Amino acid sequence: MQDLYMELIGLSAGICTTVSFIPQIVKIVKSKHARDISLWMYVILTMGIFLWLVYGILSSRISIILANGVSFLLCSFIITSKMKYRR
Amino acid sequence: MQDLYMELIGLSAGICTTVSFIPQIVKIVKSKHARDISLWMYVILTMGIFLWLVYGILSSRISIILANGVSFLLCSFIITSKMKYRR
């Protein structure tokens, strides 16, 4: 039972941290502004997410692979948008 | 040996995703601007990080507790700064 609760908490946590990038993408695309966003933050974050993805693949944990695979794509999109709307 | 590599990858991943917020904090504090940053992103992300923290506490995994505890504080600071430098 404790395990079920834990997996539900982990699943909710993964969904939150993954979908959180969507409002930021919507904001950049709508406003065409990304000046206040730190490029370094997203470069380091995307590296970290990539390492989590490798960790997930090595440990064959589908939830880690899925959450970090999607986050990796979303953060890469934010990096591209930041480069485009630098000012 | 595979386990040692995996733990090292997990540790590096945790360090990256945690410290990544520091350049964003430095940028906001220096520029006193946070207009382009999505408040919703940080609200959802901080909720997710809090859930990972609970997950870490329930599973007694120090690395998850430490990484998400620090990330929770850093993201909460970004939310406070965003409210302060909204425009």
Side-chain angles (χ1 to χ4, degrees):
Chain A
M1 199 61 187
Q2 168 107 358
D3 272 7
L4 180 68
Y5 276 126
M6 264 184 53
E7 284 318 305
L8 278 175
I9 291 170
L11 188 71
S12 314
I15 291 172
C16 283
T17 49
T18 302
V19 304
S20 69
F21 301 111
I22 297 173
Q24 183 64 76
I25 289 177
V26 171
K27 194 174 175 76
I28 298 174
V29 170
K30 271 189 172 175
S31 71
K32 300 192 197 301
H33 274 282
R35 188 195 54 182
D36 302 334
I37 288 163
S38 163
L39 180 61
W40 274 109
M41 168 180 154
Y42 283 95
V43 169
I44 301 167
L45 187 61
T46 307
M47 266 168 51
I49 290 168
F50 179 76
L51 289 171
W52 279 128
L53 186 61
V54 174
Y55 183 92
I57 291 166
L58 289 178
S59 59
S60 312
R61 290 182 60 184
I62 286 292
S63 55
I64 297 182
I65 296 171
L66 212 67
N68 289 288
V70 175
S71 297
F72 181 79
L73 292 177
L74 295 175
C75 283
S76 302
F77 185 84
I78 294 178
I79 291 178
T80 318
S81 308
K82 165 69 186 172
M83 308 284 273
K84 194 172 165 188
Y85 305 120
R86 206 172 251 275
R87 299 186 181 275
Chain B
M1 200 62 188
Q2 169 108 357
D3 272 9
L4 180 68
Y5 276 126
M6 265 185 53
E7 284 318 306
L8 278 176
I9 292 170
L11 188 71
S12 314
I15 291 172
C16 283
T17 49
T18 302
V19 304
S20 69
F21 301 111
I22 297 173
Q24 183 66 75
I25 290 177
V26 170
K27 193 174 177 75
I28 298 173
V29 169
K30 271 189 172 174
S31 70
K32 299 191 198 305
H33 274 285
R35 188 195 54 181
D36 302 334
I37 287 163
S38 163
L39 181 61
W40 274 109
M41 167 181 156
Y42 283 95
V43 168
I44 301 168
L45 186 62
T46 306
M47 267 170 48
I49 291 168
F50 179 77
L51 289 172
W52 278 127
L53 185 61
V54 174
Y55 183 92
I57 292 167
L58 289 178
S59 59
S60 310
R61 292 183 58 185
I62 286 293
S63 54
I64 297 182
I65 297 171
L66 212 66
N68 289 287
V70 174
S71 297
F72 181 79
L73 292 177
L74 295 175
C75 283
S76 303
F77 185 84
I78 294 177
I79 291 179
T80 317
S81 307
K82 165 70 186 172
M83 309 284 273
K84 195 171 164 189
Y85 304 120
R86 205 172 250 275
R87 299 184 180 274

Short mmCIF file of all heavy atoms in Angstrom, two decimals, chain B residues 14-74:
data_model
loop_
_atom_site.label_atom_id
_atom_site.label_comp_id
_atom_site.label_asym_id
_atom_site.label_seq_id
_atom_site.Cartn_x
_atom_site.Cartn_y
_atom_site.Cartn_z
N GLY B 14 21.41 15.01 -10.79
CA GLY B 14 20.82 15.75 -9.67
C GLY B 14 21.52 17.07 -9.43
O GLY B 14 20.87 18.10 -9.19
N ILE B 15 22.86 17.06 -9.53
CA ILE B 15 23.62 18.31 -9.34
C ILE B 15 23.26 19.31 -10.44
O ILE B 15 22.98 20.47 -10.16
CB ILE B 15 25.15 18.02 -9.31
CG1 ILE B 15 25.51 17.25 -8.03
CG2 ILE B 15 25.96 19.31 -9.40
CD1 ILE B 15 26.93 16.73 -7.95
N CYS B 16 23.23 18.84 -11.71
CA CYS B 16 22.88 19.74 -12.83
C CYS B 16 21.50 20.36 -12.66
O CYS B 16 21.34 21.58 -12.73
CB CYS B 16 22.92 18.99 -14.16
SG CYS B 16 24.57 18.70 -14.80
N THR B 17 20.48 19.51 -12.44
CA THR B 17 19.11 20.04 -12.39
C THR B 17 18.93 20.96 -11.16
O THR B 17 18.11 21.87 -11.20
CB THR B 17 18.05 18.91 -12.40
OG1 THR B 17 18.38 17.92 -11.43
CG2 THR B 17 17.97 18.23 -13.76
N THR B 18 19.72 20.73 -10.11
CA THR B 18 19.59 21.58 -8.91
C THR B 18 20.30 22.93 -9.11
O THR B 18 19.69 23.98 -8.90
CB THR B 18 20.16 20.86 -7.67
OG1 THR B 18 19.45 19.64 -7.51
CG2 THR B 18 20.01 21.70 -6.42
N VAL B 19 21.58 22.90 -9.54
CA VAL B 19 22.32 24.16 -9.65
C VAL B 19 21.85 25.01 -10.83
O VAL B 19 22.14 26.21 -10.87
CB VAL B 19 23.86 23.97 -9.73
CG1 VAL B 19 24.39 23.19 -8.54
CG2 VAL B 19 24.29 23.32 -11.03
N SER B 20 21.12 24.40 -11.79
CA SER B 20 20.69 25.15 -12.98
C SER B 20 19.90 26.41 -12.63
O SER B 20 19.94 27.39 -13.36
CB SER B 20 19.86 24.25 -13.90
OG SER B 20 18.62 23.95 -13.32
N PHE B 21 19.19 26.39 -11.49
CA PHE B 21 18.37 27.55 -11.13
C PHE B 21 19.20 28.76 -10.68
O PHE B 21 18.71 29.89 -10.68
CB PHE B 21 17.35 27.17 -10.03
CG PHE B 21 16.44 26.06 -10.47
CD1 PHE B 21 16.52 24.80 -9.91
CD2 PHE B 21 15.51 26.27 -11.48
CE1 PHE B 21 15.69 23.76 -10.33
CE2 PHE B 21 14.67 25.25 -11.92
CZ PHE B 21 14.77 23.99 -11.34
N ILE B 22 20.46 28.51 -10.29
CA ILE B 22 21.29 29.60 -9.78
C ILE B 22 21.52 30.71 -10.83
O ILE B 22 21.32 31.88 -10.52
CB ILE B 22 22.61 29.05 -9.17
CG1 ILE B 22 22.25 28.17 -7.95
CG2 ILE B 22 23.56 30.18 -8.76
CD1 ILE B 22 23.43 27.42 -7.33
N PRO B 23 21.92 30.37 -12.10
CA PRO B 23 22.09 31.45 -13.08
C PRO B 23 20.81 32.28 -13.31
O PRO B 23 20.88 33.48 -13.54
CB PRO B 23 22.49 30.73 -14.37
CG PRO B 23 22.70 29.32 -14.04
CD PRO B 23 22.31 29.06 -12.64
N GLN B 24 19.64 31.63 -13.21
CA GLN B 24 18.38 32.37 -13.38
C GLN B 24 18.18 33.36 -12.22
O GLN B 24 17.78 34.50 -12.44
CB GLN B 24 17.20 31.41 -13.48
CG GLN B 24 15.87 32.10 -13.71
CD GLN B 24 15.79 32.79 -15.06
OE1 GLN B 24 15.64 32.16 -16.09
NE2 GLN B 24 15.92 34.11 -15.08
N ILE B 25 18.50 32.91 -11.01
CA ILE B 25 18.38 33.80 -9.83
C ILE B 25 19.33 34.98 -9.98
O ILE B 25 18.94 36.14 -9.79
CB ILE B 25 18.67 33.00 -8.53
CG1 ILE B 25 17.51 32.03 -8.26
CG2 ILE B 25 18.88 33.95 -7.35
CD1 ILE B 25 17.70 31.15 -7.04
N VAL B 26 20.60 34.71 -10.36
CA VAL B 26 21.59 35.77 -10.53
C VAL B 26 21.09 36.78 -11.56
O VAL B 26 21.15 38.00 -11.34
CB VAL B 26 22.96 35.16 -10.95
CG1 VAL B 26 23.94 36.26 -11.36
CG2 VAL B 26 23.54 34.30 -9.83
N LYS B 27 20.54 36.27 -12.69
CA LYS B 27 20.06 37.15 -13.77
C LYS B 27 18.93 38.06 -13.27
O LYS B 27 18.94 39.26 -13.55
CB LYS B 27 19.58 36.28 -14.94
CG LYS B 27 19.35 37.08 -16.22
CD LYS B 27 19.02 36.15 -17.38
CE LYS B 27 18.72 36.91 -18.65
NZ LYS B 27 19.91 37.47 -19.29
N ILE B 28 17.97 37.48 -12.53
CA ILE B 28 16.84 38.29 -12.04
C ILE B 28 17.32 39.34 -11.04
O ILE B 28 16.95 40.51 -11.13
CB ILE B 28 15.75 37.40 -11.37
CG1 ILE B 28 15.16 36.40 -12.38
CG2 ILE B 28 14.64 38.26 -10.77
CD1 ILE B 28 14.21 35.39 -11.76
N VAL B 29 18.17 38.91 -10.10
CA VAL B 29 18.63 39.82 -9.04
C VAL B 29 19.44 40.98 -9.65
O VAL B 29 19.27 42.14 -9.26
CB VAL B 29 19.44 39.05 -7.97
CG1 VAL B 29 20.13 40.00 -7.00
CG2 VAL B 29 18.52 38.09 -7.20
N LYS B 30 20.30 40.64 -10.63
CA LYS B 30 21.14 41.68 -11.26
C LYS B 30 20.31 42.65 -12.09
O LYS B 30 20.49 43.85 -12.03
CB LYS B 30 22.18 41.03 -12.18
CG LYS B 30 23.48 40.67 -11.47
CD LYS B 30 24.49 40.25 -12.53
CE LYS B 30 25.88 40.07 -11.95
NZ LYS B 30 26.81 39.52 -12.97
N SER B 31 19.38 42.10 -12.92
CA SER B 31 18.64 42.94 -13.87
C SER B 31 17.39 43.56 -13.26
O SER B 31 16.86 44.52 -13.79
CB SER B 31 18.24 42.11 -15.09
OG SER B 31 17.25 41.16 -14.73
N LYS B 32 16.92 43.01 -12.14
CA LYS B 32 15.65 43.42 -11.53
C LYS B 32 14.49 43.34 -12.53
O LYS B 32 13.59 44.19 -12.53
CB LYS B 32 15.75 44.83 -10.93
CG LYS B 32 16.80 44.95 -9.81
CD LYS B 32 16.65 46.29 -9.10
CE LYS B 32 17.88 46.67 -8.29
NZ LYS B 32 18.30 45.68 -7.30
N HIS B 33 14.57 42.35 -13.42
CA HIS B 33 13.52 42.13 -14.41
C HIS B 33 13.13 40.66 -14.43
O HIS B 33 14.02 39.80 -14.40
CB HIS B 33 14.02 42.50 -15.82
CG HIS B 33 13.87 43.94 -16.14
ND1 HIS B 33 12.65 44.49 -16.44
CD2 HIS B 33 14.78 44.94 -16.19
CE1 HIS B 33 12.83 45.79 -16.67
NE2 HIS B 33 14.10 46.09 -16.52
N ALA B 34 11.83 40.38 -14.51
CA ALA B 34 11.40 38.98 -14.59
C ALA B 34 10.15 38.84 -15.45
O ALA B 34 9.45 37.84 -15.36
CB ALA B 34 11.15 38.44 -13.19
N ARG B 35 9.92 39.85 -16.31
CA ARG B 35 8.69 39.87 -17.10
C ARG B 35 8.51 38.63 -17.97
O ARG B 35 7.42 38.07 -18.05
CB ARG B 35 8.71 41.13 -17.99
CG ARG B 35 7.41 41.38 -18.72
CD ARG B 35 7.60 42.38 -19.84
NE ARG B 35 8.69 41.96 -20.73
CZ ARG B 35 9.09 42.65 -21.80
NH1 ARG B 35 8.53 43.80 -22.08
NH2 ARG B 35 10.08 42.20 -22.57
N ASP B 36 9.60 38.19 -18.63
CA ASP B 36 9.49 37.09 -19.59
C ASP B 36 9.38 35.71 -18.93
O ASP B 36 9.16 34.71 -19.61
CB ASP B 36 10.70 37.08 -20.54
CG ASP B 36 10.82 38.41 -21.27
OD1 ASP B 36 9.79 39.08 -21.44
OD2 ASP B 36 11.95 38.76 -21.66
N ILE B 37 9.57 35.68 -17.61
CA ILE B 37 9.53 34.39 -16.90
C ILE B 37 8.10 34.02 -16.56
O ILE B 37 7.33 34.87 -16.10
CB ILE B 37 10.42 34.47 -15.64
CG1 ILE B 37 11.89 34.47 -16.10
CG2 ILE B 37 10.16 33.33 -14.67
CD1 ILE B 37 12.85 34.94 -15.08
N SER B 38 7.74 32.76 -16.82
CA SER B 38 6.37 32.32 -16.57
C SER B 38 6.17 31.94 -15.09
O SER B 38 6.82 31.03 -14.58
CB SER B 38 6.04 31.11 -17.45
OG SER B 38 4.90 30.45 -16.96
N LEU B 39 5.26 32.68 -14.42
CA LEU B 39 4.95 32.36 -13.02
C LEU B 39 4.36 30.96 -12.91
O LEU B 39 4.71 30.18 -12.03
CB LEU B 39 3.97 33.40 -12.46
CG LEU B 39 3.56 33.23 -10.99
CD1 LEU B 39 4.76 33.32 -10.07
CD2 LEU B 39 2.52 34.29 -10.59
N TRP B 40 3.48 30.62 -13.87
CA TRP B 40 2.84 29.30 -13.85
C TRP B 40 3.85 28.16 -13.95
O TRP B 40 3.70 27.13 -13.31
CB TRP B 40 1.80 29.18 -14.98
CG TRP B 40 0.49 29.71 -14.53
CD1 TRP B 40 -0.11 30.87 -14.94
CD2 TRP B 40 -0.37 29.14 -13.54
NE1 TRP B 40 -1.30 31.04 -14.26
CE2 TRP B 40 -1.48 30.00 -13.41
CE3 TRP B 40 -0.31 27.99 -12.75
CZ2 TRP B 40 -2.51 29.74 -12.52
CZ3 TRP B 40 -1.34 27.73 -11.86
CH2 TRP B 40 -2.42 28.59 -11.76
N MET B 41 4.88 28.39 -14.77
CA MET B 41 5.90 27.36 -14.87
C MET B 41 6.49 27.06 -13.50
O MET B 41 6.58 25.91 -13.08
CB MET B 41 7.04 27.79 -15.82
CG MET B 41 8.25 26.86 -15.68
SD MET B 41 9.66 27.27 -16.72
CE MET B 41 10.96 26.49 -15.74
N TYR B 42 6.87 28.14 -12.76
CA TYR B 42 7.54 27.92 -11.48
C TYR B 42 6.58 27.42 -10.40
O TYR B 42 7.00 26.69 -9.50
CB TYR B 42 8.31 29.17 -11.04
CG TYR B 42 9.60 29.26 -11.82
CD1 TYR B 42 9.69 30.03 -12.99
CD2 TYR B 42 10.71 28.52 -11.46
CE1 TYR B 42 10.84 30.06 -13.74
CE2 TYR B 42 11.88 28.56 -12.19
CZ TYR B 42 11.93 29.32 -13.33
OH TYR B 42 13.08 29.34 -14.08
N VAL B 43 5.30 27.80 -10.50
CA VAL B 43 4.32 27.28 -9.54
C VAL B 43 4.17 25.76 -9.72
O VAL B 43 4.26 24.99 -8.75
CB VAL B 43 2.96 28.01 -9.69
CG1 VAL B 43 1.87 27.30 -8.90
CG2 VAL B 43 3.08 29.46 -9.23
N ILE B 44 4.00 25.33 -10.97
CA ILE B 44 3.82 23.89 -11.24
C ILE B 44 5.11 23.12 -10.95
O ILE B 44 5.09 22.05 -10.33
CB ILE B 44 3.36 23.66 -12.71
CG1 ILE B 44 2.04 24.40 -12.98
CG2 ILE B 44 3.18 22.17 -12.98
CD1 ILE B 44 1.66 24.47 -14.46
N LEU B 45 6.25 23.71 -11.35
CA LEU B 45 7.55 23.06 -11.13
C LEU B 45 7.83 22.88 -9.63
O LEU B 45 8.27 21.81 -9.20
CB LEU B 45 8.65 23.91 -11.78
CG LEU B 45 10.07 23.34 -11.81
CD1 LEU B 45 10.14 22.05 -12.60
CD2 LEU B 45 11.04 24.35 -12.41
N THR B 46 7.53 23.94 -8.86
CA THR B 46 7.80 23.89 -7.41
C THR B 46 6.89 22.85 -6.74
O THR B 46 7.32 22.14 -5.82
CB THR B 46 7.63 25.30 -6.79
OG1 THR B 46 8.45 26.19 -7.52
CG2 THR B 46 8.04 25.31 -5.32
N MET B 47 5.63 22.74 -7.22
CA MET B 47 4.74 21.69 -6.72
C MET B 47 5.33 20.31 -7.00
O MET B 47 5.35 19.42 -6.14
CB MET B 47 3.37 21.77 -7.41
CG MET B 47 2.34 22.60 -6.68
SD MET B 47 0.87 22.89 -7.74
CE MET B 47 0.49 21.26 -8.37
N GLY B 48 5.82 20.13 -8.24
CA GLY B 48 6.43 18.85 -8.64
C GLY B 48 7.65 18.53 -7.80
O GLY B 48 7.83 17.39 -7.35
N ILE B 49 8.50 19.55 -7.58
CA ILE B 49 9.72 19.34 -6.78
C ILE B 49 9.34 18.98 -5.34
O ILE B 49 9.95 18.11 -4.72
CB ILE B 49 10.61 20.61 -6.83
CG1 ILE B 49 11.20 20.77 -8.24
CG2 ILE B 49 11.71 20.55 -5.78
CD1 ILE B 49 11.86 22.11 -8.51
N PHE B 50 8.29 19.62 -4.81
CA PHE B 50 7.82 19.31 -3.46
C PHE B 50 7.37 17.84 -3.38
O PHE B 50 7.67 17.12 -2.42
CB PHE B 50 6.66 20.25 -3.07
CG PHE B 50 6.11 19.96 -1.70
CD1 PHE B 50 6.79 20.35 -0.56
CD2 PHE B 50 4.91 19.27 -1.55
CE1 PHE B 50 6.31 20.07 0.71
CE2 PHE B 50 4.41 18.98 -0.28
CZ PHE B 50 5.11 19.38 0.85
N LEU B 51 6.65 17.39 -4.42
CA LEU B 51 6.21 15.98 -4.46
C LEU B 51 7.41 15.03 -4.53
O LEU B 51 7.41 13.97 -3.88
CB LEU B 51 5.26 15.74 -5.63
CG LEU B 51 3.87 16.37 -5.50
CD1 LEU B 51 3.09 16.25 -6.80
CD2 LEU B 51 3.08 15.72 -4.36
N TRP B 52 8.47 15.40 -5.30
CA TRP B 52 9.69 14.57 -5.34
C TRP B 52 10.34 14.51 -3.95
O TRP B 52 10.90 13.49 -3.55
CB TRP B 52 10.71 15.11 -6.34
CG TRP B 52 10.46 14.71 -7.77
CD1 TRP B 52 10.38 15.56 -8.84
CD2 TRP B 52 10.26 13.39 -8.28
NE1 TRP B 52 10.13 14.84 -9.98
CE2 TRP B 52 10.05 13.50 -9.67
CE3 TRP B 52 10.21 12.11 -7.70
CZ2 TRP B 52 9.82 12.41 -10.50
CZ3 TRP B 52 9.97 11.02 -8.53
CH2 TRP B 52 9.78 11.17 -9.90
N LEU B 53 10.26 15.67 -3.24
CA LEU B 53 10.82 15.73 -1.88
C LEU B 53 10.08 14.76 -0.97
O LEU B 53 10.71 13.99 -0.21
CB LEU B 53 10.68 17.18 -1.36
CG LEU B 53 11.30 17.53 -0.02
CD1 LEU B 53 12.80 17.32 -0.04
CD2 LEU B 53 11.02 19.01 0.32
N VAL B 54 8.74 14.75 -1.05
CA VAL B 54 7.92 13.81 -0.27
C VAL B 54 8.28 12.37 -0.64
O VAL B 54 8.47 11.51 0.23
CB VAL B 54 6.40 14.06 -0.51
CG1 VAL B 54 5.55 13.00 0.19
CG2 VAL B 54 6.01 15.46 -0.03
N TYR B 55 8.43 12.13 -1.96
CA TYR B 55 8.81 10.80 -2.46
C TYR B 55 10.15 10.38 -1.86
O TYR B 55 10.31 9.24 -1.42
CB TYR B 55 8.90 10.88 -3.99
CG TYR B 55 9.22 9.57 -4.68
CD1 TYR B 55 8.22 8.73 -5.13
CD2 TYR B 55 10.55 9.19 -4.91
CE1 TYR B 55 8.50 7.54 -5.78
CE2 TYR B 55 10.85 8.00 -5.56
CZ TYR B 55 9.82 7.18 -6.00
OH TYR B 55 10.11 6.02 -6.64
N GLY B 56 11.10 11.32 -1.83
CA GLY B 56 12.43 11.03 -1.27
C GLY B 56 12.36 10.72 0.22
O GLY B 56 13.04 9.81 0.70
N ILE B 57 11.52 11.48 0.94
CA ILE B 57 11.38 11.26 2.40
C ILE B 57 10.75 9.88 2.64
O ILE B 57 11.24 9.10 3.47
CB ILE B 57 10.54 12.39 3.05
CG1 ILE B 57 11.33 13.72 3.00
CG2 ILE B 57 10.18 12.05 4.50
CD1 ILE B 57 10.52 14.97 3.31
N LEU B 58 9.68 9.55 1.88
CA LEU B 58 9.00 8.26 2.05
C LEU B 58 9.91 7.08 1.70
O LEU B 58 9.81 6.01 2.31
CB LEU B 58 7.73 8.20 1.20
CG LEU B 58 6.56 9.07 1.64
CD1 LEU B 58 5.40 8.93 0.67
CD2 LEU B 58 6.10 8.70 3.05
N SER B 59 10.80 7.28 0.71
CA SER B 59 11.68 6.18 0.32
C SER B 59 13.05 6.27 1.00
O SER B 59 13.94 5.47 0.70
CB SER B 59 11.83 6.14 -1.21
OG SER B 59 12.37 7.36 -1.68
N SER B 60 13.20 7.25 1.91
CA SER B 60 14.44 7.46 2.68
C SER B 60 15.67 7.54 1.79
O SER B 60 16.72 6.98 2.12
CB SER B 60 14.65 6.33 3.71
OG SER B 60 13.49 6.14 4.47
N ARG B 61 15.55 8.22 0.63
CA ARG B 61 16.73 8.37 -0.24
C ARG B 61 17.29 9.77 -0.13
O ARG B 61 16.73 10.73 -0.67
CB ARG B 61 16.37 7.97 -1.67
CG ARG B 61 16.11 6.46 -1.68
CD ARG B 61 15.83 5.93 -3.02
NE ARG B 61 16.91 6.18 -3.98
CZ ARG B 61 16.79 5.85 -5.26
NH1 ARG B 61 15.71 5.29 -5.70
NH2 ARG B 61 17.79 6.08 -6.09
N ILE B 62 18.43 9.84 0.59
CA ILE B 62 19.07 11.12 0.92
C ILE B 62 19.33 11.97 -0.32
O ILE B 62 19.10 13.19 -0.29
CB ILE B 62 20.39 10.86 1.69
CG1 ILE B 62 20.08 10.39 3.14
CG2 ILE B 62 21.28 12.10 1.74
CD1 ILE B 62 19.44 11.45 4.02
N SER B 63 19.80 11.35 -1.43
CA SER B 63 20.14 12.14 -2.62
C SER B 63 18.90 12.83 -3.18
O SER B 63 18.97 14.00 -3.59
CB SER B 63 20.79 11.26 -3.68
OG SER B 63 19.96 10.16 -3.96
N ILE B 64 17.75 12.14 -3.19
CA ILE B 64 16.50 12.74 -3.70
C ILE B 64 16.04 13.87 -2.75
O ILE B 64 15.62 14.94 -3.20
CB ILE B 64 15.38 11.67 -3.85
CG1 ILE B 64 15.80 10.63 -4.90
CG2 ILE B 64 14.05 12.30 -4.25
CD1 ILE B 64 14.77 9.55 -5.17
N ILE B 65 16.16 13.63 -1.44
CA ILE B 65 15.77 14.64 -0.45
C ILE B 65 16.62 15.90 -0.61
O ILE B 65 16.10 17.02 -0.67
CB ILE B 65 15.90 14.09 1.00
CG1 ILE B 65 14.95 12.91 1.20
CG2 ILE B 65 15.66 15.18 2.04
CD1 ILE B 65 15.15 12.16 2.52
N LEU B 66 17.94 15.70 -0.71
CA LEU B 66 18.88 16.82 -0.77
C LEU B 66 18.68 17.63 -2.06
O LEU B 66 18.50 18.86 -2.01
CB LEU B 66 20.30 16.26 -0.72
CG LEU B 66 21.33 17.16 -0.03
CD1 LEU B 66 21.02 17.30 1.45
CD2 LEU B 66 22.73 16.60 -0.21
N ALA B 67 18.68 16.94 -3.22
CA ALA B 67 18.55 17.63 -4.51
C ALA B 67 17.24 18.41 -4.57
O ALA B 67 17.21 19.58 -4.96
CB ALA B 67 18.62 16.63 -5.66
N ASN B 68 16.13 17.76 -4.15
CA ASN B 68 14.83 18.42 -4.28
C ASN B 68 14.58 19.45 -3.18
O ASN B 68 13.87 20.42 -3.40
CB ASN B 68 13.71 17.39 -4.36
CG ASN B 68 13.74 16.66 -5.68
OD1 ASN B 68 13.38 17.22 -6.70
ND2 ASN B 68 14.23 15.43 -5.68
N GLY B 69 15.21 19.25 -2.02
CA GLY B 69 15.11 20.25 -0.94
C GLY B 69 15.74 21.56 -1.39
O GLY B 69 15.14 22.63 -1.27
N VAL B 70 16.96 21.47 -1.96
CA VAL B 70 17.66 22.67 -2.43
C VAL B 70 16.90 23.29 -3.61
O VAL B 70 16.66 24.51 -3.64
CB VAL B 70 19.13 22.35 -2.81
CG1 VAL B 70 19.81 23.55 -3.42
CG2 VAL B 70 19.91 21.85 -1.60
N SER B 71 16.46 22.46 -4.58
CA SER B 71 15.72 22.97 -5.74
C SER B 71 14.44 23.67 -5.30
O SER B 71 14.05 24.70 -5.87
CB SER B 71 15.32 21.83 -6.69
OG SER B 71 16.46 21.21 -7.22
N PHE B 72 13.77 23.12 -4.28
CA PHE B 72 12.53 23.72 -3.77
C PHE B 72 12.80 25.14 -3.27
O PHE B 72 12.06 26.08 -3.58
CB PHE B 72 11.95 22.84 -2.65
CG PHE B 72 10.67 23.36 -2.08
CD1 PHE B 72 9.47 23.15 -2.75
CD2 PHE B 72 10.64 24.07 -0.89
CE1 PHE B 72 8.27 23.64 -2.25
CE2 PHE B 72 9.45 24.56 -0.38
CZ PHE B 72 8.27 24.34 -1.06
N LEU B 73 13.89 25.31 -2.51
CA LEU B 73 14.24 26.63 -1.99
C LEU B 73 14.58 27.60 -3.13
O LEU B 73 14.10 28.74 -3.15
CB LEU B 73 15.44 26.53 -1.03
CG LEU B 73 15.17 25.79 0.29
CD1 LEU B 73 16.45 25.70 1.11
CD2 LEU B 73 14.08 26.51 1.10
N LEU B 74 15.38 27.13 -4.11
CA LEU B 74 15.79 27.99 -5.22
C LEU B 74 14.57 28.42 -6.06
O LEU B 74 14.42 29.59 -6.40
CB LEU B 74 16.82 27.27 -6.11
CG LEU B 74 18.17 26.96 -5.44
CD1 LEU B 74 19.06 26.14 -6.36
CD2 LEU B 74 18.90 28.25 -5.04
#
